[in-house]
Structures are given as structure tokens and as C-alpha cells.
Amino acid sequence: MTGRDPAADIAAQLSTAAAEARPVEVWGGGTLLGRMEDATRVHGAQRLEARPGASVVAYEPVDLVITVGAGMTVHELDELLAANGQECPLDPIGGETSTVGGRVATALSGPRRLGCGPVRDWLLGVTFVTGDGVVARGGGRTVKNVTGFDLPRLLSGSWGTIGVLVDVTLRVRPRPRWSAWYWTDGPVDSWLDRIHAPVAVLTGPSATAVLLEGHPDDGADQARCAGLVEGEAPAIPGPARCSVAPGLLPTLVAELPDHGWLAQWGVGVVHFAEDSDFTRLDPLRERGDAILLRLDGGPEPDLAREPRQPEHHRRLRDEFDPSRILAPWRFST
Amino acid sequence: MTVTSSAQRSPTDGRATADATEPIARAYDEAGFVSHVRATLGPNALLNSDFERSMYRRDAGILKSEPLGICMPANVEELRSIVAACHRFSVPFVPRGGGTGLAAGAIAGGRSGRAIVIGLNRFDRIEIDPQRRVAWAGPGVVNVDLGRAAAAHGLWFAPDPSSQIASTIGGNVATNAGGAHCLAYGVTSQHVLALDLMDGYGQVHRLGGGAPELDGLDLRGVTVGSEGTFGLVTDIQVRLLPTPPVTETLLVSFTTVTGAAEAVTAILAAGCTPAALELMDQGAVELTEAYAKAGWDTSAAAVLLAEFEGLPNQVRTDVEITMESVTAFGGHRITRATDPQHRAQLWKGRKAVAGAIARVAPDYYLQDVVVPRSALATSLDRVIAAAAEQRLKVVNVFHAGDGNLHPLLLIDRSEPDVEQRVLAAASAMIAIAKEVGGTLSGEHGIGLEKRDFMCDFLSEDDLDAQWRLRRAMEPTGLANPGKVLPSPHSCADMKPSLVPEGAWL
């Protein structure tokens, strides 16, 4: 980054890239893209280092809202909020350098998604640059806002195909007063209705880990009723992950071996160890019901395939990236 | 209304008829449209007598504009025929549910010829899957009816706009409705898992409902809150929540409005997570107490209704902290609901506002601006002053937890120039919100009413991005045109008005 205004700088780079019809890959902390096929080599893409400032743009704790540069790491954001007894439950994924912009753009689910909701539910506003170099804002800085269409949701999970994030405004909340992990080897259906609003239910080959937050006495009471035993946080296998509609999760899990995976119950994400046999997922993947992200340095066919509603995708990309320079190999349309 | 418990609703047929995809062949042809719809769907498929059209000239706001006619299709097939006819004869259409909107989003008044209103009230089927805690609801299902159907399974639907006894789920989706409890549970968008959207060609697309990540762009997310401009939502899958084990409701009197606003700040700063924090000023309390007899303190300058839900110890801790916080800022006469009936009685004081107004004024005008929580107290004083300057009586009821102001101007339209004074006060309130970094609408929407004020809050490039999204999601431009977005490049030489061209008071 050379210019003073990060948005103008990104806009200039994108305008040039559009004029040269050169594809662009938006690069944050590199925690995900660094483990995928190298787009500069395979697609001749230019890497746009999107670290437009790692600073706080605005933060008034009592408003329960924060605006930060997209280049701030999730870790830095969390420390900053923690100093005020607050949090934004975008659990870091991929490592210490994972950026807020990257988390929003990829919208992968953190372990607490069951209780905290997806990334998009914490996103109130965005400043972004379109593929043709226009700097635009969407959403705002109040918790409630229906002033115009929900552009932040268009950017969330867009994987760099709609625009480059400059800054993001996030809803924050008081940090939970207490939290603890519990374990059980009983089937989820046998105890789940005795737990009110669990924050995470992570089911593995032999046992299930449950995260409870709030008041320790409530946690202890619930755990006793449901027969859960307090324990350590589970180790989440990696780096591969698979996304399926939550209703299909039981079918998928029934096919899996006795080691090397952990499923986010009620969410529909399964984490896999690197040496897993992914052919078991093929029937679901072929039907388009499961999406696999391997993060082993190889190609990512599922991210490149045609999405549902291809016409909507095509029209949205024609509007926001008329020259098709923003990661055109993803969501092929 | 039909309530069933089948596991999953089958996707609506997504194929378009050949007729529906025929490109626009003609200019706007009202007579051709009317005779075509009647010939294909029967003589009663389109209502257009003067009386019938006048019935649909308003929503719950102040603007009026008459549609060319009204259609009330019984099912997706009929709806598809109507939309196909709209496309063929270039007739714009306006989706409508309960008609409780306040921003003229569901009345005609489009910029390209007269529109028809399509009432979706007959799309009122509910299917609940209690195991998976989801429900499919037609857009015409009334919010409280979904709530009642869910309650039979120990579940509930969180969005609870004040209009919920009459507003529909389709309308809630169109405006991304909030309500008192969205402080803790979030607005409608967070509760919609999937929806079926009929585009301007009559084709239905299922948006959302698949894998939770890596599944392409969030088309469902951008459609919620699009105020009918992306097409017609024909079916909605929502998330239901388990009924919380414990609920505590407090009613607190304050000697100053500022004290109440500061107490709200203190409650949130102390790390409490209330389910709802509702404030009413003295005028509002006097008004509703005479009507609802909810036991609210009419001598207080402001009354705060605070609700906490969840597990017993968490709720108890939050209530204790709240008691300390409110007392520190002059809170007194704390009433704690003793049982569900008592709680319902306390809430009646808040929810009965609109009904109570009818006792003292023939009409009202309700604003919906949002200010940052930190600017709540000062903004409120200025809003009251703005009303006083126009010699208007104002009462304030608002979602204090999220800074969403709801000043209600009590009016009698027979008074001289009252409408002009209302518009002047409303414009002043919008200016106040803008000045403190707030926003134009928190939960009612932009519709026709606030469309031209978008120029004040969004830059030309911001509006351009909005138009890009609008065009991509609904290329025919026939779905509720003239709402939400001002014409491109019209901002430069426009003086915003709350009564845009094509509408009247």
C-alpha cells in the first residue's frame, strides 16, 4: 500500500487491473488462500494485498458497535474489545494472522456459530471497492438499519468476487461472564432437549463436546440434568472442512470412520484431518449437497463450481465487477 | 389458515411458462392487462372499481396513491399468471401483506405507469417441523398466528414488530422488521433460513436453505429488507426458538427522560444482555394508561420496561445489576412481573400505544429514525423541540436498547396546515438523526415516503451500488418500482420531500 487513502488506493489498482483485464486475488492474512492453489500461478492473477489499515475507525463501547479497517487481525480486534469487556464472536480461523476482512469475505463458521449465529449477523456495515473501482458504503453504524438494501450481506461470504473490503462495522456484545466445555458419549438426541441454547455442540467419532456460556450455576445445573461432564476444549481437526445443510448432517456423519473428524451439530460443518478419505463425500458432493474445502495447497473444485441460482450470480457479478477481474475462477458463472 | 406439521415443504415449481419469459413486447397497456387477466383467471381476478381502488390507496402511513387494480391470487400458479401478464403489458406490481407498513412501501405510486397491488394474504399456510425447529410460512401468515402455531410445540418466532397482530411474515421479510425483542434475538433477517422469490418474469427461485457456508452469494440475505423491489416472496422458511426457561419483566419510573436514557446506557455497559429495553415518555404513558390500564406510573417523566430471558441464574444476575443501574439514575417504583398474566399486563401498556391514540387524536404520524445509543438522551430532547416548534403534540415510545426512536405526532387533519407542519417536523427529525451519525429508518423501511431522503444519507456512489444490486436481483424493473431508491442522478437537483411525486396526503 502506498497511497494515503486506502480506499482510493485500492480503487486505482482495480481500475488498472480492469483496464488490463487482469484477474485479481484479494489477499488478507493468507491463512486460507495461502493453503489453496496459487492463483497467481494458475490463473495469472495479481495479488491485491488488502490490508487497508489495521486500525480502529470508530469505537464507542456503549453503542455496541465497532468499525475497523479490514486488515485488522481477528486477534487484534478481540484484544481491543476484551479491554472493554466486549466481544464479536468471529472466532479466528486458520491462525493468528486471520484478518477481519478475510473472515467477513469468506464467512466460514467459527465453532460457536450454533449459539452466536453466522458472521453476517454481526456485520452492520461495509465500505468496499467494486471491480470497476467505485468506492461504496452499505449498511451503517447503528444496530438497526433498513436504509437501503443489505449490501453487507452481499459481501459476506462473497470470497472476493463482488468487491474489496476497506472497512467493516460489526455489532459487538458483552463478553460472556463464564464459559466451559462439557463432554458426553451419549447420542445428541438423548440429552439435547435438556440444554437451553448451547453455544456449540461438536460431535466426534466417540464423544460430543458442548460449550455453555453465561452463569456457572446455570451451566452446572444443565450439565447435571443432561449428564454432561466438564472437560477440555476439543481439538478441531484440520485443515479440511465440509459444508452441508444441517438436516443432512446425520446422514453424512453415519458414513464417517471412527477417527479424524468433528461435526458442528445444528450448523452443518464437518472438520476433517488432512489424511481423511474424502471419497466418502463424493455422492453428496456430486449432488451439490456437500461443499468440500481441503486447504492442502491443491485446487478447490467445489469453490469453483457453478453455484445454485447461477443467473443471479452472473448478473450480480456483471454489475459489481463488469470486467470480471475479481477471482473470476470462483463460483464459475 | 392451515396449520400442518409435515417435515418439509416441497420447493415451489421453479419453471417459467413460455409466456412468462417473453421479452417486453409492448408499452404500458392497462386495458390489455385488465382484459387479459380477466380472460385467463376469471372476472373477479382483478378488482378495479373506484371503491376497491380507494381501499388500497393507503398503508398505515400518511401517503396515498391509487393502484390500477388489486389482485388476490390463491396460489403460486395464479400469481405466476398475474406476473406474466404484468410483464407482457408492462404493468408494475406492488406486493402487499397486512397493509400495516408506515413508509408507503405497499401502495402504488411507481414512476412507470400505474401499478397493480398484489395482496398475498391468501398465502397463509404454516408447516412446522418441531424437531428441526423450523417452519415454512406463506407471506400472508399473520405474525401472531405463526407465534401461536409455534407455541403449541414450545417454540416461538422472535421478530415481534408492534404491528404483529395484523402484519404478515411476508411484510416482516420485506421490511426486515425488528420489534421489541430484536435487541437480544436480532431482526427478521437472522430468523429467515430460506425463501422462494418470484421474479418479474414469474419464475420462482429458492434462495438460501442449503449448506451453511461456501455456497455462493447470500441471495436470501439481500432479499430480506428489499421491500418488494426484488419480486414477490411466495414462501418463507423461518427459524423457531425454544421458549426461554425464565423471563423477568421490570417496569421502572424515572423523574427525567435523560435519567432513563442514561440508565439504559448503564445497563448495557454493565454487561447485561436484556431481551428488550423499551422507553416511554410521560405523554405516551398517560395516553396508554387511560386506555390499557396496565398499571404504569403516569406521574413519571419516563417509564422503562426491561425484560430478561434465559436461564435462572443469568437472569437473576442481570436483574440485580439492572436494579442497581436504574436506582443510580433516579429510577424508582420498580414493578416486577409476578406471573405471565402480570407480564402481559405490563406489556399491554407498551403495545397498546397505537390503539390508545385513537382516544385523543384522529390520526398520527410515526417517525422511525435511529441514533447511536450514546446520543439517545440529547437526540430525544431535540426531537421533542422539533415537534414543539411546529406546534405538534408528540409522545415518544422507543426501542431504547438499540437507539431506534419512535416519536408519534398526534394530529387532526382538519386543523389548518397540519400536514405541512408534520412534514416540517419529520424532516427536522431526520436531520437530527443524520447529524448525530444515525440512520434514516430502523425498521419501517424507506418505501415511497423516505425515498428522496436517501440522497441525504448515501453518496452518489453508495446509491449506485444499491442500484446495481436492484438491477441484478430484478432485471425487469416491474417489481415495486419507485420505492426505496431515488432515480439515478436525481439527487443533485432535488429538494427531498416526504410526499414524492405521484403520491398525495
Side-chain angles (χ1 to χ4, degrees), chain A residues 4 73 89 92 102 114 186 228 284 291 323:
Chain A
R4 276 196 192 157
T73 65
L114 180 66
L228 310 180
L284 278 170
I291 306 158
S323 303

Side-chain angles (χ1 to χ4, degrees), chain B residues 35 59 196 321 363 368 408:
Chain B
S35 53
D59 57 10
D196 287 348
I321 293 171
D363 217 338
D368 170 44
L408 277 147

Side-chain angles (χ1 to χ4, degrees), chain B residues 21-173:
Chain B
T21 49
E22 181 188 305
I24 298 180
R26 315 170 195 202
Y28 176 73
D29 177 0
E30 181 176 326
F33 172 78
V34 172
S35 53
H36 179 83
V37 169
R38 289 197 169 136
T40 48
L41 293 173
N44 295 324
L46 184 123
L47 312 175
N48 68 346
S49 71
D50 286 351
F51 171 73
E52 286 156 343
R53 289 171 48 233
S54 73
M55 293 289 286
Y56 285 85
R57 56 154 64 157
R58 269 186 79 176
D59 57 10
I62 57 167
L63 296 184
K64 296 178 191 138
S65 180
E66 282 185 6
L68 105 79
I70 302 100
C71 294
M72 299 285 272
N75 52 48
V76 172
E77 287 64 40
E78 285 186 20
L79 179 63
R80 195 200 319 278
S81 298
I82 292 162
V83 171
C86 284
H87 186 251
R88 182 164 165 193
F89 298 97
S90 292
V91 170
F93 57 87
V94 179
R96 182 168 168 121
T100 61
L102 290 153
I107 64 170
R111 58 170 74 91
S112 51
R114 283 203 293 166
I116 57 155
V117 162
I118 301 180
L120 292 167
N121 310 69
R122 294 164 79 187
F123 286 64
D124 62 352
R125 250 164 28 115
I126 299 174
E127 287 172 20
I128 292 183
D129 180 348
Q131 241 58 51
R132 292 179 51 212
R133 292 177 180 163
V134 297
W136 278 99
V141 169
V142 172
N143 179 297
V144 287
D145 289 337
L146 176 58
R148 283 193 200 108
H153 302 280
L155 301 168
W156 67 296
F157 179 59
D160 61 341
S162 299
S163 59
Q164 70 185 140
I165 56 164
S167 66
T168 60
I169 303 300
N172 298 164
V173 167

Side-chain angles (χ1 to χ4, degrees), chain B residues 161-415:
Chain B
S162 299
S163 59
Q164 70 185 140
I165 56 164
S167 66
T168 60
I169 303 300
N172 298 164
V173 167
T175 56
N176 195 9
H181 287 83
C182 72
L183 179 60
Y185 300 99
V187 291
T188 300
S189 191
Q190 300 187 23
H191 301 278
V192 172
L193 299 170
L195 44 83
D196 287 348
L197 178 70
M198 183 180 287
D199 64 19
Y201 302 103
Q203 197 168 355
V204 177
H205 309 271
R206 174 151 300 177
L207 311 181
E213 58 186 38
L214 299 161
D215 198 21
L217 300 169
D218 184 14
L219 304 175
R220 173 210 56 86
V222 295
T223 302
V224 178
S226 60
E227 303 194 38
T229 65
F230 291 1
L232 294 132
V233 171
T234 59
D235 218 352
I236 303 145
Q237 191 188 36
V238 299
R239 191 161 67 100
L240 301 175
L241 302 176
T243 313
V246 176
T247 304
E248 280 272 11
T249 310
L250 304 178
L251 194 65
V252 188
S253 301
F254 286 86
T255 46
T256 64
V257 178
T258 310
E262 283 169 350
V264 165
T265 299
I267 291 165
L268 295 167
C272 292
T273 49
L277 279 179
E278 300 284 303
L279 252 178
M280 287 172 70
D281 69 5
Q282 189 166 21
V285 173
E286 279 174 354
L287 197 68
T288 57
E289 184 55 25
Y291 170 83
K293 304 199 169 38
W296 287 44
D297 179 4
T298 51
S299 68
V303 172
L304 176 68
L305 183 71
E307 189 154 275
F308 299 88
E309 292 180 336
L311 292 162
N313 293 291
Q314 168 89 9
V315 168
R316 199 196 63 239
T317 310
D318 276 359
V319 167
E320 283 166 8
I321 293 171
T322 298
M323 299 271 222
E324 283 172 30
S325 300
V326 297
T327 311
F329 288 94
H332 59 279
R333 237 193 85 166
I334 302 175
T335 310
R336 200 163 166 171
T338 47
D339 56 46
Q341 267 168 316
H342 190 197
R343 173 172 316 114
Q345 190 199 343
L346 295 183
W347 270 104
K348 197 179 166 195
R350 167 65 183 87
K351 298 217 168 181
V353 177
I357 287 168
R359 290 167 53 95
V360 296
D363 217 338
Y364 66 85
Y365 173 81
L366 175 54
Q367 250 303 332
D368 170 44
V369 293
V370 188
V371 299
R373 224 168 330 231
S374 48
L376 194 59
T378 51
S379 305
L380 192 59
D381 286 344
R382 295 179 60 193
V383 161
I384 292 168
E389 196 170 309
Q390 298 297 331
R391 292 170 287 118
L392 293 165
K393 180 160 173 56
V394 63
V395 299
N396 285 283
V397 293
F398 52 98
H399 308 307
D402 38 40
N404 195 181
L405 303 181
H406 279 149
L408 277 147
L409 301 171
L410 310 185
I411 54 176
D412 180 345
R413 286 178 185 237
S414 65
E415 280 179 33

Side-chain angles (χ1 to χ4, degrees), chain A residues 60 62-65 106-109 113-114 120-121 128 130-132 134-139 141-151 153-154 156-159 161-162 171 174-175 177 192-193 196-197 213-215 217-218 221-222 241-247 267-269 288-289 291-293 302-303 305 307-309 312-313 315-317 319-322 331, chain B residues 132 175-176 178-179 182 187 189-190 205-222 224-227 229-230 242-245 265 268 270-273 310-314 316-318 321 370-374 399 402 404 437-446 454 457-459 461-462 464-466 468-473 475 484-485:
Chain A
E60 186 69 53
V62 71
D63 288 343
L64 303 183
V65 165
T106 57
L108 294 178
S109 315
R113 173 163 172 170
L114 180 66
R120 58 175 184 261
D121 287 355
F128 66 104
T130 61
D132 51 345
V134 175
V135 182
R137 289 173 307 149
R141 303 203 52 246
T142 53
V143 177
K144 253 188 191 166
N145 184 4
V146 292
T147 307
F149 306 128
D150 204 338
L151 280 171
R153 281 176 198 265
L154 181 65
S156 175
S158 63
W159 279 84
T161 63
I162 294 293
R171 195 159 66 90
R175 247 179 151 73
R177 297 187 179 108
L192 189 68
D193 59 356
H196 178 72
E213 288 179 351
H215 194 286
D217 295 348
D218 291 330
D221 285 350
Q222 295 222 294
R241 56 197 293 144
C242 178
S243 165
V244 290
V267 173
V269 174
D289 285 337
I291 306 158
L292 178 65
L293 186 71
D302 290 8
L303 202 52
R305 76 183 177 194
R308 295 186 298 143
Q309 313 302 353
H312 287 81
H313 282 76
R315 290 197 303 261
L316 283 163
R317 294 175 82 170
E319 288 284 354
F320 286 92
D321 178 26
F331 307 144
Chain B
R132 292 179 51 212
T175 56
N176 195 9
C182 72
V187 291
S189 191
Q190 300 187 23
H205 309 271
R206 174 151 300 177
L207 311 181
E213 58 186 38
L214 299 161
D215 198 21
L217 300 169
D218 184 14
L219 304 175
R220 173 210 56 86
V222 295
V224 178
S226 60
E227 303 194 38
T229 65
F230 291 1
T243 313
T265 299
L268 295 167
C272 292
T273 49
L311 292 162
N313 293 291
Q314 168 89 9
R316 199 196 63 239
T317 310
D318 276 359
I321 293 171
V370 188
V371 299
R373 224 168 330 231
S374 48
H399 308 307
D402 38 40
N404 195 181
T439 191
L440 186 54
S441 175
E443 56 186 3
H444 298 169
I446 300 299
M454 291 285 278
F457 285 77
L458 277 72
S459 75
D461 287 344
D462 300 344
D464 173 54
Q466 296 274 328
R468 294 185 194 209
L469 178 56
R470 164 83 173 79
R471 284 192 300 261
M473 291 300 291
V484 186
L485 302 181

Side-chain angles (χ1 to χ4, degrees), chain A residues 153-235:
Chain A
R153 281 176 198 265
L154 181 65
L155 273 295
S156 175
S158 63
W159 279 84
T161 63
I162 294 293
V164 180
L165 291 165
V166 178
D167 62 51
V168 298
T169 300
L170 299 161
R171 195 159 66 90
V172 304
R173 65 173 193 179
R175 247 179 151 73
R177 297 187 179 108
W178 166 91
S179 72
W181 284 96
Y182 291 87
W183 288 84
T184 175
D185 51 14
V188 173
D189 290 341
S190 68
W191 51 263
L192 189 68
D193 59 356
R194 276 167 274 170
I195 303 281
H196 178 72
V199 182
V201 176
L202 306 183
T203 306
S206 56
T208 299
V210 183
L211 179 64
L212 302 180
E213 288 179 351
H215 194 286
D217 295 348
D218 291 330
D221 285 350
Q222 295 222 294
R224 194 170 48 248
C225 281
L228 310 180
V229 181
E230 196 166 348
E232 297 289 310

